[in-house]
Amino acid sequence: MATEEILIPDIGNFDSVDIIEILINVGDVVASDDPMLTVESDKASMDIPAPYGGTIKEIKVSIGDKVKEGSLIALIEKAEVPEDKPKEKPVLAEEASTEVSDVPVPTRPVPEPPQTIAPMDKPLPVAESVLVANDKISHASPSVRKFARNLGVNLGFVKGSAPKNRIVIGDVEAYVKSELTKPRSDDMGTHFAPIAMPNIDFSQFGSVESKPLSKIKKISGANLHRNWVTAPHVTQFDDADITDLEAFRKSMKKEAEKKDVKLTLLAFLMKACVNALRAYPVFNSSISPDGESLIMKDYFNIGFACDTPDGLVVPVVKDVYKKDVLEIAYDLGDLSNKARERKLKMDDMQGGCFTISSLGGIGGTKFTPIINCPEVAILGVSRSAMQPIFNNETQAFEPRLILPLSLSYDHRVVDGADGARFTTHLRSMLSDVRRLLL
Ligand code: CAO
C-alpha cells in the first residue's frame, strides 16, 4: 500500500492560518472526509478533512503552526477503496453558518446563559439550545460542535481551555465526565442537584468502624430526603394547656387497663387532629401527581412515627373519626407492638392522611418534623412540662401542664394563616377535653 502526503487544500482567500487543534493520532484509521485538523484565521475556524481513507503514519504539524495551501500535514497509508464522491473545498465557519454551526443563529436577543446545568440525559430542545449555545457565546470548531451535538451537550455550558476560550474536544469530554459524577435528582423537574459530599477518610483523625445501615434506615432515609427537598416546609409552633386532659386521662387509665388498653396521650392527640382536619380540610389533602389539583380526602387515617430498634416506621390507625379514644388507644398499642416485633404488614403502613410524631415520652422542647409526603402536614409533639401561666380572670399565675406542638406543613398547599388556625384549633381542642370527646 502506498504512503501518500496529505497537504492543506485550497482554503480560499487566506495566506496563512493557525493550527488550533489536531484531531488525529499516528495509527488512527480515518475515512474520507473525517476532520483531521482545525485551523483558524483571525476571523473564523474550519476543519481540514482527510482527502481519502487510510491509516495515519506520521503527523507533520503541531498546534500553533502556521499553514497555507500546499503545506504538508501528514503521511497516510492510503486504503484501497474506490473514491465515490468528489472532494469539496473546506469552508470557513463564518462563510457557511448552516454547515458548521450546531444551532441556527437566534433572531431574538440572546439572554445570559442560565447558571443551572442542563441534565445530560435530557438534552435541551433546539429552541432552548439556541438561547445559550451560539457563536457569540461558545467558540468551537465544526468538529467540536458536531462531537458535542452527538452527545447532547450544550456548548453554552462548556468552558473552553484553548486560547481565546476556544472549546476543544477535551473540554467537552471533561464537561461530560464532571456531569456524570455529579449527584442526580429527578425531582419534579427542578434540576436541583446538591454538590457532591466530600469523600473523607475519617481514620486519619482517629479509630473508626463501618456499620451497615439497616434496611428500614435506608428506605426511610431516601423517603425523608425526597420529602425534605420536594415540599417547602414551614413549621408553626404552639403550646396547648393539657392540664385537664392529663387529669382525665389518668383518671381513665385504670379502667382502660381492665380492657387491656394503655390509654396514652397520643390517642387523644389523634382525636384532636381529626377534629382539626375536619375543620380545615386542606390539611387532609395531597397534591395530584401532575401538580394541577388537590385530592381532598373524606377518610381520616392517622399515621404515627414509631421508634424501633431497626429505625423509624410509620404505622397508620385507620378510620380514626369513627373510633372512640379507647379504640384508638387499642390500635396504637397493637400497631406499636407489631412495629417493634417487625410484624407490621404493608397494609398497616398505608393510607395515611396526616402523621403525628411524638417525642414527648423521650424529651425535648420543640422540633421541626419532616412531612410524610404526599401528605401535606405532620404534627410534632414534645414533652409536656408544668409552667406558670397567667390567668386573666384571677389575675394570678397558675401552674399548668403545657404541651409544645410543632406543625410542619407543605407551603405549596397550606398558607401560613391556615397553619396558625390549625394549631389554634388543636390547642383549643386539647385544652377542653369535653369538646374533644364530643
Ligand atoms: N409529655 C410528657 N410525657 C409524655 C408525653 C409528652 N408529650 N408523651 C408521652 N409521655 C409519657 C407518657 O405519659 C408515658 O408515661 P405513662 O406510661 O406514665 O403514661 C411515657 O411517656 C411513655 O409513653 P410512650 O412512648 O410509651 O407512649 P406514647 O403513646 O406517648 O408514644 C410512640 C408511643 C410509638 C409514639 C412512642 O413509643 C415512640 O416510638 N416515639 C418516638 C417517635 C419518633 O421517633 N419520632 C421521631 C420521628 S422524626 O425522626
Side-chain angles (χ1 to χ4, degrees):
M1 276 180 278
T3 300
E4 302 273 346
E5 290 186 333
I6 300 181
L7 308 177
I8 294 280
D10 174 9
I11 49 174
N13 301 325
F14 291 91
D15 288 342
S16 127
V17 286
D18 295 331
I19 295 180
I20 58 168
E21 204 173 356
I22 297 178
L23 307 167
I24 46 167
N25 291 304
V26 173
D28 281 359
V29 177
V30 295
S32 172
D33 283 340
D34 276 359
M36 301 177 66
L37 319 168
T38 306
V39 296
E40 186 187 60
S41 74
D42 55 350
K43 286 189 186 147
S45 61
M46 74 182 110
D47 282 349
I48 303 294
Y52 28 72
T55 307
I56 302 294
K57 302 307 282 181
E58 216 176 313
I59 298 170
K60 295 285 195 183
V61 286
S62 307
I63 289 177
D65 285 357
K66 287 196 179 301
V67 288
K68 57 184 181 181
E69 184 181 349
S71 299
L72 177 62
I73 304 170
L75 299 181
I76 188 169
E77 197 172 77
K78 197 175 169 188
E80 287 179 355
V81 285
E83 263 325 312
D84 54 4
K85 50 178 180 175
K87 291 273 124 336
E88 281 168 16
K89 172 180 149 184
V91 200
L92 280 172
E94 284 190 352
E95 291 172 358
S97 59
T98 52
E99 262 185 52
V100 295
S101 173
D102 53 344
V103 290
V105 175
T107 53
R108 52 190 161 139
V110 180
E112 287 293 307
Q115 296 304 305
T116 48
I117 299 301
M120 291 300 305
D121 50 351
K122 292 174 197 155
L124 287 175
V126 169
E128 275 178 65
S129 311
V130 167
L131 298 178
V132 291
N134 63 83
D135 286 339
K136 286 193 182 106
I137 293 167
S138 52
H139 188 22
S141 69
S143 55
V144 173
R145 289 180 180 283
K146 187 170 177 235
F147 181 68
R149 198 164 50 241
N150 287 344
L151 293 175
V153 170
N154 184 330
L155 284 180
F157 296 120
V158 180
K159 197 163 179 271
S161 63
K164 298 184 203 161
N165 298 328
R166 188 185 316 106
I167 298 165
V168 293
I169 282 184
D171 297 327
V172 179
E173 287 171 340
Y175 171 81
V176 170
K177 273 186 202 154
S178 79
E179 281 302 298
L180 290 176
T181 52
K182 276 183 186 164
R184 309 226 64 82
S185 72
D186 291 319
D187 49 0
M188 301 175 73
T190 58
H191 306 330
F192 174 81
I195 59 166
M197 194 64 74
N199 188 355
I200 296 172
D201 173 14
F202 297 103
S203 66
Q204 65 184 303
F205 306 115
S207 149
V208 292
E209 182 195 357
S210 172
K211 278 190 174 175
L213 286 174
S214 71
K215 199 173 167 197
I216 289 182
K217 271 225 179 300
K218 281 189 200 162
I219 295 171
S220 64
N223 282 314
L224 287 165
H225 181 229
R226 179 204 57 202
N227 300 347
W228 179 250
V229 299
T230 303
H233 283 60
V234 176
T235 303
Q236 170 71 54
F237 300 109
D238 210 337
D239 288 331
D241 182 337
I242 58 162
T243 317
D244 298 340
L245 174 59
E246 264 302 270
F248 177 75
R249 185 180 77 88
K250 282 187 175 147
S251 73
M252 295 292 294
K253 248 179 122 178
K254 285 255 152 45
E255 207 176 314
E257 273 164 21
K258 284 185 202 158
K259 295 178 182 167
D260 257 356
V261 175
K262 187 178 177 205
L263 189 55
T264 63
L265 179 62
L266 195 50
F268 291 90
L269 285 167
M270 286 210 167
K271 197 85 188 147
C273 284
V274 167
N275 200 302
L277 290 175
R278 282 169 54 77
Y280 300 98
V282 72
F283 285 85
N284 197 25
S285 73
S286 286
I287 301 183
S288 64
D290 63 6
E292 295 290 323
S293 52
L294 275 187
I295 298 163
M296 311 298 291
K297 297 161 197 169
D298 281 333
Y299 53 89
F300 299 90
N301 300 335
I302 310 293
F304 64 102
C306 185
D307 184 31
T308 77
D310 297 320
L312 183 71
V313 290
V314 184
V316 176
V317 179
K318 304 277 167 52
D319 290 325
V320 173
Y321 177 60
K322 297 177 187 161
K323 290 176 179 164
D324 62 31
V325 176
L326 275 182
E327 288 171 309
I328 299 167
Y330 175 82
D331 283 0
L332 274 172
D334 182 44
L335 289 167
S336 303
N337 289 339
K338 281 187 187 164
R340 286 175 184 134
E341 290 163 16
R342 302 183 191 182
K343 287 187 180 158
L344 283 177
K345 298 202 180 89
M346 210 50 198
D347 182 57
D348 294 325
M349 295 183 282
Q350 283 177 338
C353 305
F354 180 90
T355 297
I356 301 176
S357 176
S358 171
L359 291 172
I362 302 169
T365 51
K366 286 178 174 64
F367 67 108
T368 54
I370 297 177
I371 301 162
N372 191 15
C373 297
E375 295 169 17
V376 297
I378 181 169
L379 180 71
V381 181
S382 297
R383 192 165 187 79
S384 58
M386 281 306 228
Q387 286 183 26
I389 302 295
F390 191 74
N391 184 331
N392 275 326
E393 279 175 27
T394 61
Q395 290 289 297
F397 281 98
E398 289 174 8
R400 306 294 295 179
L401 187 62
I402 302 300
L403 180 73
L405 305 173
S406 315
L407 177 82
S408 293
Y409 56 84
D410 184 337
H411 210 351
R412 295 173 302 174
V413 179
V414 177
D415 295 333
D418 278 340
R421 283 186 194 110
F422 190 91
T423 51
T424 302
H425 187 95
L426 260 186
R427 61 179 278 173
S428 74
M429 282 288 130
L430 294 169
S431 304
D432 186 348
V433 68
R434 291 163 310 170
R435 284 183 66 203
L436 179 59
L437 297 178
L438 268 181

